[in-house]
Amino acid sequence: MIERENRKGVRKLIYNKLVRDRIPEIIADSGKKPVISKLNKQEYTEAARTKLSEELSEYTNARNDEEAVEELADLMELIYALSSIHGASPEKLEQVRKTKADNRGGFRERIYLKEVTE
């Protein structure tokens, strides 16, 4: 975010990032004026990937379980959006996840591979 003030003393906060669908409405309801644009598919894909990295960083820096779960929910929302870009519904994504878990396992056993000797 970049903060700017014009000659009339009007403060602007420049975000230039993908936001959730209701954020402009929430901003307007608070008495502020959002300026938005709609992205084409390529711009949307790039913005969603950037947002995914941002949310992953926020998850990594979460200070407690509650914050971590909030960030994981944001990550899931972005993963669903990105899977849609690639032609997969949440159900299809879950099917692929389950197949991989069935074939290769999940991450519940906490296995940490140190090395492999040949």
Side-chain angles (χ1 to χ4, degrees), residues 1-111:
M1 175 189 60
I2 300 169
E3 188 173 337
R4 292 193 179 144
E5 192 171 312
N6 69 15
R7 287 183 232 148
K8 296 179 182 179
V10 176
R11 193 171 130 222
K12 284 187 181 184
L13 302 174
I14 313 294
Y15 287 93
N16 290 327
K17 68 179 188 176
L18 184 66
V19 295
R20 288 177 174 265
D21 298 339
R22 292 197 56 231
I23 295 301
E25 174 188 339
I26 292 167
I27 292 169
D29 288 348
S30 75
K32 298 174 185 171
K33 182 183 176 189
V35 177
I36 64 168
S37 65
K38 298 281 182 146
L39 303 175
N40 65 35
K41 185 177 179 181
Q42 180 181 347
E43 292 167 331
Y44 176 56
T45 301
E46 291 172 18
R49 286 178 174 175
T50 299
K51 185 73 172 176
L52 186 69
S53 294
E54 176 189 317
E55 294 297 342
L56 181 57
S57 177
E58 289 177 11
Y59 166 73
T60 302
N61 294 311
R63 296 177 305 220
N64 56 51
D65 289 341
E66 185 178 342
E67 284 182 12
V69 170
E70 286 283 327
E71 298 309 330
L72 287 170
D74 289 341
L75 284 164
M76 284 182 65
E77 195 67 37
L78 282 160
I79 288 169
Y80 290 153
L82 286 162
S83 68
S84 177
I85 289 170
H86 298 294
S89 66
E91 295 78 18
K92 172 66 176 174
L93 185 63
E94 176 57 21
Q95 177 188 7
V96 171
R97 185 210 61 79
K98 185 168 180 349
T99 298
K100 288 186 84 168
D102 290 346
N103 292 334
R104 300 176 65 95
F107 295 95
R108 297 186 195 287
E109 298 289 326
R110 302 179 185 183
I111 297 170

